[in-house]
Amino acid sequence: MQERRYIPEEIEKKWQQFWEEEKTFQVTHEEPDRPKYYVLEMFPYPSGRIHMGHVRNYSIGDVVSRMKMMQGYNVLHPMGWDAFGMPAENAAIKNNTHPAHWTYQNIDYMRDELKRLGYSYDWSRELATCHPEYYQWEQLFFLKFFEKGLAYRKKAPVNWCPTCVTVLANEQVEAGQCWRCDSMVEKRELSQWFLRITDYAEELLKDLDKLSGGWPERVISMQKNWIGKSTGMEIDFPVQGLKEKITVFTTRHDTLFGATFMSLAPEHEMVPRLIRDNPEQEKISEFIARTTSQEHQERTAEDTEKEGIFTGSYCINPATGEKMPIFLANFVLAEYGTGAVMAVPAHDQRDLEFARKYNLPVRVVVKPLGMDEPLPDELDTAFVDPGLAVNSGQFNNKPTSQVQEEIADYLEGLQAGLRAVNYRLRDWNISRQRFWGAPIPVIYCQTCGIVPVPPGDLPVVLPQEAEMPRDGRSPLPDLESFVQVDCPECGQKARRETDTMDTFVESSWYFARFTAPRKNDDAFDPEAIKYWLPVDQYIGGIEHAILHLLYARFFVKALRDTGYWDLDEPFAHLLTQGMVLKDGAKMSKSKGNVVDPDEMIQRFGADTVRLYCLFASPPEKDLEWSDSAIEGSYRFLNRLWRLVHELSGVISPVGPCMAMEGTKLTPEENELRTAEHEAMRRATRDMLDRFQFNTAIAACMELLNTIGQRRQSLRESPNGPQVLSSALSTVLTVLAPITPHICEELWSHMGYRQSLAWSRWPEYDSRALVRQEVTVVIQVNGKLRSSMNVPVDMDQEELKSLCLEDEKVKKHIQDKNVVKVIIVPQKLVNIVVR
């Protein structure tokens, strides 16, 4: 009979249809008496096509999902679409269509692509964030946050992208450029909506300790640095001639006696009053305009020249009573600290460079430990280490750590300062001046002011009839049917907010909606939330280590405090997979190095693509694409296919890791059984405990090699067919989460009736790992001459006799005297002759 060819397209369609019809991966309800496992990959933006980064990410999640099912968990593995945002809007404008049409068309296409890869998603829970049924709850969250003071509106300097025609959060500006389009970002003053994430700064920081061990330390460190906690003092410097004071935050209040001038951010709100009587106002205004047009990173870079201008005003050092000139400095930012820096040039290199440039005093107030004399004021390099206080009045000759505490007490006693904690983190600007987003549910009334939309009037639906301007502006401000509305409180004519929410808001709670996505009367089902959350395993790129993950953590805490749940953290474990590279660079159309997943699936099949993505590199490492390597993965699956079909009539559905205690096995049968259980042991350790799928695949490849080498002799041995059947069943079971289609087909071919997706993950037998025979190397005078398989417990005298009788050994010891025989148990025998 002619062997049936491996045709991936046929079997993949067959099993995808089977899983869909049988609802294999659909979770119908919570099962409190059964352990749950919630695995989730960061959901995609529906761009219209998946890329290899998607394939790798989702393949990792699919393996985890299928493994946990095989372990007996009630597994939730959903999929949805992060569907709002500027890319869809810009693409729709470019293609002269509506963003909704563009988005839903792309969702349909990408859904089909993902289904072609055979992922174990519960498609009955699919959601898209652009559906009013989804974002109505987001609008309700906003109202609850507004009621608690977590959402507020203020006028503030913001990052403006002229290409995207919208505001960006600080986190969305990278090296002075828009994170979406790479355009240079401008500064503008606008009234915007913010979420008070800073209220949770300390909890967001402390709770990172709870995630240690479950999250990569690199991500935890990135979040800690972004939150940026500093402990120090807020010190007041009275302004001469004004009934005002400049407040600075400093962590080095032990150097207060060395503060000789004040540096302010050009954007500081006090600047207009400080320069009011200065005849150089025009020159100062030019400096402010030039400086504030620069990107923050450029202004604060170490190699940027330190520039400033004197305001003409002075403040008073509360420790010395001396006048300090107030300068505007390009390296001081309004967003950090209080926008003011007490300059201590002897102990801060940046201040020292500034002081030298503008001939400002330098006063040493800390000397190194062990040094008798203070450092000279003519320093070239600032001394920034701890030491002993000098030139500091009553605090002289005390360690700076002690001086910090004593000066803090001193200033608090004078009511000139307070101990304080400062954070780098700033409140989250969620206003976007674009159309394709969730409308902010607020109404502006000339009589009543800011009026939240009543919850009963939600959702505020994004009007589908809006025509998109070609320049990217939002059509909402000009759409009278949307803007004009009656005030809910007084009934007078009012206007609706036309800003939409930052799309990171949608992705900050979608994981919770997945637990009950069809619930119509509330955002969440409390029982489902209690059962499923937190997400047990979250998977996504390192590029989301700050933005998305920080916002999601904040949302969980804020929703907890509005009564939705008792949850503190959304994701118990996090895996950040590496990128897919080609020719050493990240795949991109501009570089011309993109590999199309569709083309690869058509050529090799979905299983080959999945196998390659999981075998070529550990999940957390970057994967360098190789055309020859994916062909190698395809050859391996063909070899597996041929071997199972070659042994048709010999193999049977005995189950993986078949129990064979009490069965007398031949040495070859024992060898294969040991190799099978060793492969199972490695796969269990590497896949279930460490997610190192590449080494588990390697173990299967080695086992398949052993099967291939022993298949002819084992066909005829007493227990050979059973040993072969068990070993092949183990290969298919281990590979099933990785290459599910071919494994289901071969599993069925072996005679199994139940789907492999529902089979239990087998347990290896540690007793089977104990080899009954070992290969002993035989040397003569240290040179390899032969080898033989012997029982592991063979008596040494018997082993010595066997080695001396070996035909190959005899050729080298004849006519010579055997001086001694050295035996290393279970390894080698060295015969010394003269």
Side-chain angles (χ1 to χ4, degrees):
M1 186 175 82
Q2 187 176 7
E3 180 185 316
R4 182 185 167 198
R5 286 178 55 236
Y6 172 46
I7 305 175
E9 185 177 9
E10 288 183 3
I11 65 169
E12 287 168 4
K13 285 182 178 178
K14 169 186 172 180
W15 287 102
Q16 288 162 15
Q17 183 178 352
F18 173 85
W19 295 325
E20 186 170 352
E21 291 175 351
E22 295 296 317
K23 300 180 178 179
T24 304
F25 307 113
Q26 185 171 324
V27 181
T28 56
H29 60 281
E30 292 71 50
E31 300 180 43
D33 57 342
R34 186 178 169 203
K36 67 92 180 178
Y37 198 88
Y38 185 178
V39 58
L40 182 66
E41 303 96 63
M42 295 179 184
F43 66 167
Y45 155 69
S47 60
R49 300 188 71 84
I50 62 170
H51 52 69
M52 276 301 171
H54 287 132
V55 173
R56 191 180 190 204
N57 185 14
Y58 305 146
S59 295
I60 292 168
D62 194 54
V63 173
V64 175
S65 171
R66 290 174 176 271
M67 284 192 312
K68 292 301 178 180
M69 280 185 63
M70 296 175 80
Q71 284 185 283
Y73 287 88
N74 188 22
V75 175
L76 176 60
H77 188 206
M79 173 51 70
W81 312 98
D82 194 7
F84 270 142
M86 288 182 288
E89 190 171 342
N90 292 341
I93 292 169
K94 182 179 178 181
N95 290 274
N96 198 27
T97 187
H98 195 280
H101 173 75
W102 178 263
T103 300
Y104 291 130
Q105 174 182 285
N106 287 349
I107 286 174
D108 290 341
Y109 188 85
M110 289 183 69
R111 184 191 303 109
D112 289 342
E113 284 189 300
L114 294 181
K115 286 188 174 182
R116 285 184 65 195
L117 283 153
Y119 294 135
S120 58
Y121 294 128
D122 181 353
W123 286 105
S124 70
R125 294 176 182 250
E126 180 184 7
L127 58 79
T129 59
C130 60
H131 287 156
E133 293 80 6
Y134 181 86
Y135 65 73
Q136 66 174 323
W137 304 116
E138 187 170 302
Q139 292 174 337
L140 181 62
F141 301 155
F142 178 91
L143 297 180
K144 290 179 179 289
F145 291 171
F146 182 74
E147 184 181 348
K148 288 182 67 69
L150 289 176
Y152 66 95
R153 190 171 187 257
K154 73 171 182 177
K155 197 169 187 178
V158 295
N159 306 302
W160 178 264
C161 175
T163 302
C164 295
V165 199
T166 191
V167 161
L168 304 174
N170 287 337
E171 296 87 344
Q172 294 165 331
V173 179
E174 299 171 351
Q177 296 175 301
C178 172
W179 75 302
R180 285 285 192 194
C181 70
D182 294 332
S183 296
M184 293 305 299
V185 172
E186 303 171 357
K187 283 292 180 183
R188 291 194 180 181
E189 185 106 350
L190 294 173
S191 291
Q192 301 285 284
W193 283 98
F194 292 83
L195 294 183
R196 212 179 293 274
I197 190 173
T198 53
D199 278 10
Y200 291 85
E202 185 64 23
E203 188 180 358
L204 286 166
L205 185 65
K206 283 186 176 179
D207 282 0
L208 287 169
D209 292 339
K210 299 178 182 178
L211 302 175
S212 183
W215 282 34
E217 286 303 317
R218 177 186 175 191
V219 175
I220 291 175
S221 180
M222 290 169 75
Q223 293 227 342
K224 285 181 178 179
N225 291 338
W226 190 261
I227 295 168
K229 181 179 180 179
S230 300
T231 302
M233 286 202 78
E234 287 186 349
I235 304 174
D236 296 331
F237 291 75
V239 179
Q240 191 175 50
L242 294 176
K243 293 182 179 179
E244 294 189 69
K245 56 194 176 186
I246 296 173
T247 301
V248 304
F249 174 83
T250 178
T251 59
R252 289 299 308 271
H253 42 282
D254 55 299
T255 64
L256 177 59
F257 282 80
T260 57
F261 62 96
M262 179 69 66
S263 298
L264 287 190
E267 307 94 331
H268 196 285
E269 58 88 23
M270 198 180 290
V271 171
R273 300 187 294 283
L274 294 174
I275 67 173
R276 184 170 49 205
D277 299 325
N278 194 322
E280 301 286 338
Q281 280 193 45
E282 184 175 343
K283 188 176 178 181
I284 295 172
S285 296
E286 288 176 0
F287 172 81
I288 292 171
R290 176 167 55 84
T291 303
T292 55
S293 66
Q294 294 176 306
E295 168 49 34
H296 287 183
Q297 287 191 332
E298 180 186 351
R299 286 169 57 181
T300 57
E302 287 186 13
D303 57 352
T304 297
E305 183 181 359
K306 310 302 180 283
E307 292 186 279
I309 194 165
F310 180 43
T311 63
S313 295
Y314 294 84
C315 62
I316 307 300
N317 185 323
T320 65
E322 296 174 346
K323 290 194 328 182
M324 293 169 44
I326 303 172
F327 277 73
L328 306 185
N330 62 344
F331 55 84
V332 183
L333 304 178
E335 294 95 312
Y336 297 120
T338 63
V341 174
M342 69 170 202
V344 186
H347 305 292
D348 183 281
Q349 187 62 31
R350 189 177 52 183
D351 293 343
L352 181 61
E353 292 174 19
F354 193 92
R356 295 300 185 212
K357 182 170 183 175
Y358 295 102
N359 297 314
L360 296 166
V362 177
R363 180 182 302 136
V364 171
V365 292
V366 179
K367 72 174 183 178
L369 294 170
M371 179 180 283
D372 293 334
E373 297 297 323
L375 295 165
D377 290 339
E378 294 75 26
L379 292 169
D380 293 323
T381 302
F383 177 68
V384 298
D385 296 329
L388 292 178
V390 294
N391 299 320
S392 298
Q394 68 266 40
F395 305 106
N396 281 340
N397 298 315
K398 295 179 180 178
T400 49
S401 57
Q402 179 181 343
V403 171
Q404 283 207 333
E405 292 302 311
E406 292 186 6
I407 283 188
D409 293 338
Y410 172 71
L411 290 175
E412 287 182 340
L414 292 176
Q415 296 186 333
L418 288 171
R419 287 177 170 87
V421 175
N422 190 53
Y423 297 91
R424 180 176 181 265
L425 183 68
R426 290 294 176 261
D427 282 340
W428 177 9
N429 181 342
I430 65 164
S431 288
R432 298 295 178 268
Q433 292 69 45
R434 293 297 295 255
F435 169 74
W436 193 234
I440 296 176
V442 164
I443 292 168
Y444 299 104
C445 174
Q446 287 190 342
T447 302
C448 305
I450 296 175
V451 181
V453 172
D457 292 346
L458 299 179
V460 177
V461 177
L462 194 67
Q464 300 294 301
E465 68 272 15
E467 294 185 12
M468 305 302 298
R470 301 295 299 172
D471 62 2
R473 289 181 300 107
S474 171
L476 294 180
D478 301 323
L479 192 64
E480 292 296 314
S481 60
F482 180 79
V483 175
Q484 298 300 325
V485 65
D486 293 336
C487 173
E489 292 188 359
C490 70
Q492 296 184 38
K493 295 296 182 184
R495 53 178 286 271
R496 196 183 293 282
E497 171 65 80
T498 57
D499 283 355
T500 54
M501 293 193 214
D502 178 12
T503 54
F504 275 107
V505 177
E506 280 89 61
S507 59
S508 294
W509 64 280
Y510 78 108
F511 48 88
R513 181 65 179 172
F514 270 138
T515 63
R518 303 294 172 254
K519 188 170 177 59
N520 296 320
D521 58 348
D522 205 348
F524 312 115
D525 179 330
E527 291 304 313
I529 289 291
K530 186 177 180 181
Y531 180 76
W532 288 114
L533 291 182
V535 174
D536 295 282
Q537 184 64 59
Y538 200 37
I539 303 166
I542 192 69
E543 65 271 19
H544 298 295
I546 294 174
L547 291 179
H548 163 57
L549 293 174
L550 189 66
Y551 292 154
R553 296 181 62 225
F554 159 68
F555 241 76
V556 162
K557 297 175 190 302
L559 289 175
R560 175 200 63 197
D561 293 346
T562 50
Y564 278 102
W565 48 51
D566 295 326
L567 194 66
D568 293 326
E569 288 289 336
F571 313 118
H573 295 85
L574 173 69
L575 188 155
T576 51
Q577 89 281 357
M579 294 187 296
V580 181
L581 311 176
K582 191 166 193 298
D583 304 324
K586 183 179 179 181
M587 289 187 185
S588 72
K589 291 180 182 178
S590 62
K591 293 186 176 72
N593 65 348
V594 171
V595 175
D596 183 1
D598 281 349
E599 181 186 342
M600 293 296 104
I601 293 170
Q602 288 171 6
R603 286 181 60 189
F604 301 113
D607 280 335
T608 295
V609 175
R610 292 168 57 125
L611 178 68
Y612 171 72
C613 286
L614 295 165
F615 180 55
S617 175
E620 69 278 4
K621 302 294 185 183
D622 289 342
L623 185 159
E624 177 68 40
W625 184 268
S626 165
D627 292 337
S628 61
I630 193 170
E631 290 170 0
S633 295
Y634 183 59
R635 288 194 298 272
F636 169 73
L637 292 183
N638 273 277
R639 186 154 54 92
L640 174 62
W641 178 272
R642 289 194 301 270
L643 188 56
V644 172
H645 281 81
E646 178 190 331
L647 293 173
S648 297
V650 176
I651 53 178
S652 59
V654 301
C657 291
M658 177 187 177
M660 304 190 76
E661 290 79 10
T663 304
K664 183 67 174 176
L665 300 179
T666 67
E668 281 199 328
E669 291 168 353
N670 254 324
E671 181 185 353
L672 180 54
R673 184 167 186 265
T674 299
E676 174 192 1
H677 286 262
E678 173 61 22
M680 193 70 241
R681 183 189 70 82
R682 287 171 58 187
T684 299
R685 177 196 64 195
D686 294 345
M687 289 179 72
L688 299 183
D689 299 336
R690 304 193 302 180
F691 294 169
Q692 298 298 297
F693 311 121
N694 56 319
T695 55
I697 293 168
C700 284
M701 290 177 170
E702 292 172 16
L703 177 56
L704 198 69
N705 286 338
T706 305
I707 295 171
Q709 293 164 3
R710 300 285 180 250
R711 69 187 186 282
Q712 294 301 338
S713 58
L714 290 177
R715 294 172 76 121
E716 308 299 331
S717 69
N719 298 293
Q722 286 187 314
V723 175
L724 282 169
S725 299
S726 179
L728 278 173
S729 298
T730 292
V731 171
L732 295 180
T733 303
V734 172
L735 288 178
I738 298 164
T739 56
H741 309 90
I742 189 173
C743 290
E744 286 275 23
E745 183 68 15
L746 295 177
W747 186 258
S748 175
H749 181 77
M750 287 185 68
Y752 291 99
R753 295 182 177 275
Q754 186 186 44
S755 166
L756 187 48
W758 285 109
S759 297
R760 294 303 295 265
W761 188 264
E763 294 184 4
Y764 64 89
D765 186 346
S766 58
R767 292 169 296 181
L769 299 178
V770 181
R771 294 184 178 272
Q772 297 184 14
E773 282 194 347
V774 292
T775 300
V776 172
V777 172
I778 308 173
Q779 299 174 340
V780 176
N781 287 346
K783 294 183 179 180
L784 175 65
R785 299 304 184 189
S786 186
S787 65
M788 64 174 62
N789 290 334
V790 300
V792 293
D793 56 354
M794 174 173 276
D795 178 79
Q796 288 198 9
E797 285 300 318
E798 186 180 355
L799 175 60
K800 175 181 172 181
S801 299
L802 276 176
C803 292
L804 291 171
E805 292 300 319
D806 184 272
E807 291 300 324
K808 293 179 182 178
V809 172
K810 281 183 178 180
K811 293 178 184 179
H812 297 280
I813 65 173
Q814 60 185 358
D815 302 328
K816 295 180 181 178
N817 294 322
V818 177
V819 177
K820 59 181 174 179
V821 177
I822 302 170
I823 298 176
V824 178
Q826 301 182 22
K827 290 186 178 180
L828 68 84
V829 175
N830 184 23
I831 302 169
V832 181
V833 297
R834 287 179 184 168

